[in-house]
Amino acid sequence: MEVQSKLFIGGEFIVSSDNSSFSTINPATEEKICEVSLANEEDVNNCVLSSKKAQVEWFSLDASQRGKALLDIAKAIENAGDELANLDCLDGGRPILDCKEDVHAAVEMFNYFGGIVDKIKGNTIPVQNDKLCYTRREPYGVVAAITAWNYPLFNACAKIAPIIATGNSCILKPAEETPLTALKLAEIIQSIRTIPQGLVSVINGPGEITGEALTRHDGVSKISFTGSTETGRKILRASADTNLKGAVLELGGKSPFIIFDDANIEMALNGIVFSVFYNQGQTCTAGTRLLVQEGSLEKVLNGLDERIEKLTIGDPISEETVLGAIISKEQHQKIINYVDDAVESGISLYCGGKIPSNIKKGFFYEPTVFLNVPSESKICKEEIFGPVLVVQTFSDEEEVIKMANDSKYGLASSIWTKSSQRLTLMANRIETGIVWCNTVFAEHPGAPAGGYKQSGYGREYGDSAVDEYMQLKTVWVDLSDDFFSWP
Ligand code: ADP
């Protein structure tokens, strides 16, 4: 497989201006895949310049031409699907079947946003009769997208598609742990004839060098970020210190997954196992806090045992694998530390809690469950980003609402009960940006997604993406041919 490793600026692959690079590692083998060019401040400056030029050219095309280009990108991604999935698997340690599923989600993102480009409209406002007042939606210009490593292809497409659909250009800085897929993606996008050179650029490098240079750049007019709450704060500081660029922030989570006694327990069990262990628990919206109504605890634990046993951990390239590798040595160690601390502080470890004994290389970890977890404990409060579930019990709705909302985060929640009245009341009272009722991880490019509280602000996808990535201009036209003299 051909692997691109340079910077993608101005529509071509180039090495960084000081020739610096960093290594990217396959987390399933701990082996180096290749050296990747590292973008410094000068590279970022050059990238912003070419990105601005491309944006002007792009927005001068008819909306229908731009929409058609996005549909062409969708087709091209579909055609290159196997290669993109293999890169995600290699660089991110994700099971190959999951990576292939993400290709479909990526294609859908471009299809959806390709369809909305020529349907974005302004308004005419009924003002004084001697005037015409209307609004226009206009792009910001250059939008920076900074992404996390958990879904390299999907995260990139979920940013690029709405950003360019709304007439902006996009500079993508992928996470330094997974730099490769985005480079291939950028090349695919550039292969579409109507895409101006440099409309989508990809610059790799560490957050504190490449990310900072991008977020501090006055030529960048908006930032779309997915990552930790801590980095979200740094991005807002960088914006406040420079040109006050706006930001859409999709940050951390500690999402409650609530099972009532009257739920379809078997379905709920399928849901929680998928929610917390899919992608090795490295999902912002993972249901990491399982709140079970007292009468169902035993049944839920038995069901968890059965299902966890079937989660095959191992080589991500094998189609048998359900749980792949943790992204990096640092992240692996972070999970180990959280679990060891919890055990040392006396919290009851129900299962897992160790590296699988049969795997000698790579960063793997067993699905882990803790019982009777105190609400104030670190594992109940902090985002671990690994396959670790904490279980608590509750007696009634009032108690579970309090427990569910007792978090600085508010990204997503999942509620399981057969009572539609209870579902609706709970959905009203829970403080999360997404509420899944008798389901989990439902998503669609048309459905807004984003967090409450410290899980971020702004909404991605659907009409919300148009609001986020376009600014509104109000135009006044005098129809009277008369302007009063003053004073
Ligand atoms: P995670 O903990 O999921 O790795 P991070 O917030 O550290 O999340 O990283 C998410 C993305 O933010 C990565 O692309 C990373 O390089 C970038 N990043 C980290 N620090 C900064 C920063 N100071 N400015 C801009 N981007 C940053």
Side-chain angles (χ1 to χ4, degrees), residues 252-258 271-278 280-291 368-370 373 378-392 407 409 411-414 436 440-441:
K254 192 78 188 178
S255 299
F257 190 107
I258 301 166
I272 183 61
V273 170
F274 181 53
S275 172
V276 71
F277 297 129
Y278 180 76
Q280 302 71 252
Q282 304 170 120
T283 306
C284 328
T285 51
T288 45
R289 291 189 289 146
L290 174 58
L291 310 177
T368 300
V369 179
F370 283 97
V373 179
K378 263 169 64 174
I379 52 166
C380 198
K381 286 267 173 259
E382 296 178 16
E383 183 178 48
I384 301 172
F385 233 61
V388 182
L389 177 66
V390 303
V391 182
Q392 298 180 294
S407 173
Y409 295 116
L411 190 53
S413 55
S414 179
W436 285 303
V440 75
F441 287 172

Side-chain angles (χ1 to χ4, degrees), residues 146-149 173-176 205-208 211-212 215 225-228 231 234-235:
I146 300 179
T147 51
W149 38 258
K173 196 211 83 64
E176 51 271 47
E208 56 280 13
E212 279 266 348
T215 53
F225 173 71
T226 301
S228 63
T231 304
K234 288 185 191 161
I235 285 174

Side-chain angles (χ1 to χ4, degrees), residues 7-11 14 39-56 140-145 168-172 197-203 210-222 243 245:
L7 309 174
F8 194 74
I9 295 179
I14 54 169
N40 57 33
E41 204 174 326
E42 188 181 335
D43 299 315
V44 172
N45 288 342
N46 292 337
C47 187
V48 173
L49 279 180
S50 66
S51 190
K52 183 66 208 166
K53 198 163 155 262
Q55 190 271 326
V56 172
Y140 278 92
V142 178
V143 177
N168 301 285
S169 57
C170 178
I171 301 179
L172 174 67
Q197 291 286 108
L199 183 72
V200 175
S201 324
V202 174
I203 50 172
T210 316
E212 279 266 348
L214 201 52
T215 53
R216 295 197 161 271
H217 202 293
D218 281 343
V220 172
S221 307
K222 184 107 191 186
N243 61 347
K245 49 182 86 62

Side-chain angles (χ1 to χ4, degrees), residues 63 68 137 141 170 252 263 319 340 390 408 422 437 479-480 485:
K68 171 80 174 42
R137 286 182 178 273
C170 178
E319 296 203 348
D340 290 354
V390 303
K408 67 177 178 182
R422 176 180 277 161
C437 299
L479 306 172
S480 70
S485 80

Side-chain angles (χ1 to χ4, degrees), residues 81-119:
D82 281 349
E83 197 175 348
L84 290 164
N86 279 321
L87 281 170
D88 260 14
C89 177
L90 178 76
D91 212 15
R94 306 188 55 222
I96 186 68
L97 291 184
D98 297 354
C99 299
K100 287 186 177 170
E101 268 175 37
D102 277 9
V103 172
H104 297 296
V107 167
E108 283 316 306
M109 210 39 96
F110 278 95
N111 276 332
Y112 176 86
F113 281 103
I116 71 163
V117 177
D118 60 0
K119 291 156 196 84

Side-chain angles (χ1 to χ4, degrees), residues 144-389:
I146 300 179
T147 51
W149 38 258
N150 52 349
Y151 297 91
L153 175 67
F154 180 76
N155 287 347
C157 293
K159 302 272 187 224
I160 295 169
I163 288 171
I164 65 172
T166 43
N168 301 285
S169 57
C170 178
I171 301 179
L172 174 67
K173 196 211 83 64
E176 51 271 47
E177 292 84 352
T178 51
L180 300 181
T181 315
L183 291 170
K184 181 71 207 167
L185 176 67
E187 189 183 24
I188 291 169
I189 293 173
Q190 195 62 74
S191 73
I192 305 304
R193 199 183 39 83
T194 39
I195 295 287
Q197 291 286 108
L199 183 72
V200 175
S201 324
V202 174
I203 50 172
N204 281 303
E208 56 280 13
I209 300 174
T210 316
E212 279 266 348
L214 201 52
T215 53
R216 295 197 161 271
H217 202 293
D218 281 343
V220 172
S221 307
K222 184 107 191 186
I223 303 169
S224 181
F225 173 71
T226 301
S228 63
T229 298
E230 233 9 83
T231 304
R233 276 185 225 290
K234 288 185 191 161
I235 285 174
L236 291 186
R237 274 188 215 116
S239 155
D241 290 348
T242 56
N243 61 347
L244 287 176
K245 49 182 86 62
V248 186
L249 304 176
E250 212 257 76
L251 308 176
K254 192 78 188 178
S255 299
F257 190 107
I258 301 166
I259 305 181
F260 282 95
D261 284 342
D262 72 347
N264 180 331
I265 303 282
E266 294 303 314
M267 293 301 113
L269 279 160
N270 291 346
I272 183 61
V273 170
F274 181 53
S275 172
V276 71
F277 297 129
Y278 180 76
N279 206 31
Q280 302 71 252
Q282 304 170 120
T283 306
C284 328
T285 51
T288 45
R289 291 189 289 146
L290 174 58
L291 310 177
V292 185
Q293 199 162 17
E294 282 153 353
S296 305
L297 183 64
E298 201 181 323
K299 200 168 172 195
V300 164
L301 291 179
N302 291 337
L304 274 178
D305 290 338
E306 274 170 37
R307 287 165 176 81
I308 287 174
E309 226 168 84
K310 294 188 195 141
L311 302 176
T312 316
I313 311 180
D315 185 1
I317 201 71
S318 159
E319 296 203 348
E320 307 296 310
T321 296
V322 179
L323 296 187
I326 304 297
I327 188 67
S328 65
K329 194 180 169 91
E330 292 71 31
Q331 184 57 25
H332 195 226
Q333 192 56 50
K334 190 174 146 195
I335 296 166
I336 294 170
N337 293 348
Y338 268 113
V339 171
D340 290 354
D341 275 5
V343 170
E344 265 169 43
S345 68
I347 300 175
S348 162
L349 177 67
Y350 181 71
C351 67
K354 55 186 191 311
I355 296 168
S357 52
N358 58 331
I359 303 180
K360 301 295 171 221
K361 279 223 134 198
F363 312 119
F364 293 90
Y365 204 79
E366 287 187 352
T368 300
V369 179
F370 283 97
L371 281 190
N372 302 321
V373 179
S375 294
E376 292 315 309
S377 61
K378 263 169 64 174
I379 52 166
C380 198
K381 286 267 173 259
E382 296 178 16
E383 183 178 48
I384 301 172
F385 233 61
V388 182
L389 177 66

